[in-house]
Amino acid sequence: VAAKRQREGPAARPRKRAKKAPSAPEPDAKPGPEEYSIPPPVSQGKWKNKERVLIFSSRGINFRARHLMQDLRTLMPHSKADTKMDRKDQLFVINEVCEMKNCNKCIFFEAKKKQDLYMWLSNIPQGPSAKFLVQNVHTLAELKMTGNCLRGSRPLLSFDPTFDKEPHYALLKELFIQIFSTPQYHPKSQPFVDHVFTFTITDERIWFRNYQIIEEDASLVEIGPRFVLNLIKIFQGSFGGPTLYENPHYQSPNMHRRLIRLSVAAKFREKQQVKEVQKLKKTESKVLMEEDPTEVVFETPAEEKPVEIQLVKPESKPIVKDKKKLRKIQRKKQKKLFRTEA
């Protein structure tokens, strides 16, 4: 028997049977009284637009910028996070970080002097990229924002009509659409639309607001976060390259603070000059002006009245407060005069 086994060779193992998927219930078949049917998923499409956004920052940002970054991560289910980047590293290193994280868009927060916050929006790796100064930041955690929306829901993007009039705003509009819009059928997103991202241009700045759509009357309630983007430059490449547009109305925060200091110093200097002028006036000797003969030209001489000399002392009048008593006294005087005449 052993020789036969050696001639025949090792016995072949039986193949494993593939597990069959549970057959879907027929549409006509109705569940019984004790059976429960599971409804199919709402979004049955395929995730084709695989946009991934890397949101991270440099070291040295304050608490408000950190909360803003966290709010954007919660509002954008297609975003990814990373550790803070060192200040000494160059910005083009971010392209390699995005490739490692398999991201084709990036939002990078750069902090300077622990008080100024800059935001980079970039398309990796070809570009373009835009640099903004972030101002007037308000986060989701503030009590003024009373609205609420479903986590992971897809937003509507609303743009100002000015975005279609000028070329640099049209480029920023396309960049905002690709970064902030949640891709359809994303695994982490919900198939609902219950909030709106608005981008408005006023005072040469882009104002970002987030509103919740209320189902009852289709009114809007602000959720947050809110911030203002002041455009600095638009570059052709990702985090660098030739400059496509430079904002002529932009004023750096250093220059703004310098002008405030100069205005305060100018006011103080003006007050000091006024005090010095007053001191000089007090110390100056008073100069006596000679009489001007032309001063009497327009004066008219008054009429001379004759001098009257009163020889008899005037009678003293009694001071009476009560009018009735004064009348009685006058009557008594009149009676005395009548008697003397008689």
Side-chain angles (χ1 to χ4, degrees), residues 186-235:
H186 192 276
K188 293 184 180 178
S189 68
Q190 300 290 339
F192 306 107
V193 177
D194 60 352
H195 62 287
V196 185
F197 289 163
T198 61
F199 297 89
T200 313
I201 298 174
T202 51
D203 196 17
E204 304 296 334
R205 291 170 175 82
I206 300 172
W207 300 64
F208 176 86
R209 295 289 184 270
N210 182 20
Y211 296 97
Q212 178 198 359
I213 303 172
I214 299 177
E215 296 180 0
E216 286 78 9
D217 53 353
S219 61
L220 299 178
V221 177
E222 189 172 358
I223 305 172
R226 57 155 70 173
F227 52 88
V228 180
L229 299 176
N230 191 359
L231 178 63
I232 302 173
K233 283 184 181 181
I234 300 176
F235 300 96

Side-chain angles (χ1 to χ4, degrees), residues 3-174:
K4 286 182 182 178
R5 284 181 182 173
Q6 287 179 1
R7 289 175 186 173
E8 292 176 1
R13 294 182 180 179
R15 294 181 180 179
K16 291 184 179 180
R17 293 181 180 179
K19 292 183 179 180
K20 293 183 180 179
S23 59
E26 295 180 359
D28 299 336
K30 296 182 179 180
E34 297 181 358
E35 296 179 0
Y36 297 95
S37 62
I38 300 173
V42 180
S43 58
Q44 298 178 353
K46 190 177 181 181
W47 177 32
K48 296 179 181 179
N49 180 20
K50 299 195 176 182
E51 296 281 354
R52 299 182 183 89
V53 184
L54 182 65
I55 303 176
F56 72 118
S57 68
S58 65
R59 296 193 180 277
I61 61 171
N62 54 7
F63 72 99
R64 191 176 289 275
R66 187 175 69 251
H67 288 189
L68 173 64
M69 182 176 63
Q70 193 61 36
D71 292 344
L72 290 178
R73 286 175 182 169
T74 55
L75 288 173
M76 300 164 64
H78 60 292
S79 64
K80 289 188 177 182
D82 195 19
T83 57
K84 294 180 180 178
M85 197 181 75
D86 198 0
R87 293 180 186 176
K88 296 178 182 179
D89 295 340
Q90 298 295 327
L91 290 177
F92 60 83
V93 181
I94 301 174
N95 297 326
E96 300 177 4
V97 177
C98 291
E99 288 181 5
M100 290 165 53
K101 288 282 185 178
N102 196 17
C103 296
N104 52 0
K105 299 290 185 297
C106 181
I107 300 178
F108 177 67
F109 291 95
E110 185 181 7
K112 290 184 179 179
K113 293 188 176 182
K114 295 185 178 180
Q115 54 183 346
D116 302 330
L117 182 64
Y118 297 91
M119 179 192 285
W120 285 84
L121 300 179
S122 177
N123 181 25
I124 307 261
Q126 290 87 11
S129 59
K131 185 180 181 182
F132 301 91
L133 174 67
V134 186
Q135 299 171 332
N136 301 336
V137 178
H138 297 277
T139 59
L140 276 168
E142 296 187 12
L143 296 175
K144 293 179 182 178
M145 313 299 180
T146 56
N148 190 11
C149 68
L150 184 67
R151 186 187 179 100
S153 60
R154 301 179 63 214
L156 292 173
L157 299 185
S158 173
F159 290 94
D160 195 90
T162 317
F163 277 97
D164 299 326
K165 295 179 182 178
E166 299 186 17
H168 61 281
Y169 283 138
L171 177 62
L172 291 177
K173 178 181 178 181
E174 185 63 30

